[in-house]
Amino acid sequence: MKLIDVTNNHSELVMEQLENTDANFVKVFSLGPTTVIYSGAPTHKDVLLLNKVRNIKNAEISFAIENILETTVDNVDILHAPHIVELSIPVYE
């Protein structure tokens, strides 16, 4: 699996997220047919995996946890919905 940074192609989404949430940064990646939105705020980091065609695969979830959040599954809150998975971890400063 390979993450491709496509943030520049989603400038409207990024600006909307920065204006309407507590996020300090927003990055958008392509993980094959799955879109990955990574955002960080002072108290948490979130990854949203979206695929309009199929549900998110466990391998994609594991990849995002290891390579984007750089943690283990034990530290992540995972919320499943059809075609969407949200991963969230608290940030301790």
Side-chain angles (χ1 to χ4, degrees), residues 4 22 27 31 37 39 41 46 54 63 79-80 82-83 87:
I4 299 170
D22 62 345
K27 292 188 177 199
L31 184 60
I37 303 168
S39 63
D46 297 318
R54 61 167 171 76
F63 185 86
L79 188 77
H80 291 268
H83 306 282
L87 310 172

Side-chain angles (χ1 to χ4, degrees), residues 13-92:
L13 168 70
V14 171
M15 290 303 298
E16 185 178 311
Q17 288 295 308
L18 291 173
E19 290 174 358
N20 297 311
T21 68
D22 62 345
N24 293 336
F25 69 87
V26 177
K27 292 188 177 199
V28 183
F29 298 97
S30 171
L31 184 60
T34 300
T35 301
V36 180
I37 303 168
Y38 174 43
S39 63
T43 59
H44 58 93
K45 291 182 183 177
D46 297 318
V47 173
L48 191 65
L49 296 105
L50 307 163
N51 190 311
K52 294 180 181 178
V53 178
R54 61 167 171 76
N55 287 330
I56 306 301
K57 296 179 180 179
N58 287 336
E60 293 169 319
I61 296 169
S62 296
F63 185 86
I65 291 171
E66 293 171 12
N67 295 284
I68 298 174
L69 295 175
E70 298 177 338
T71 189
T72 62
V73 70
D74 298 331
N75 300 322
V76 180
D77 290 327
I78 303 173
L79 188 77
H80 291 268
H83 306 282
I84 299 172
V85 170
E86 181 181 0
L87 310 172
S88 184
I89 61 170
V91 173
Y92 304 105

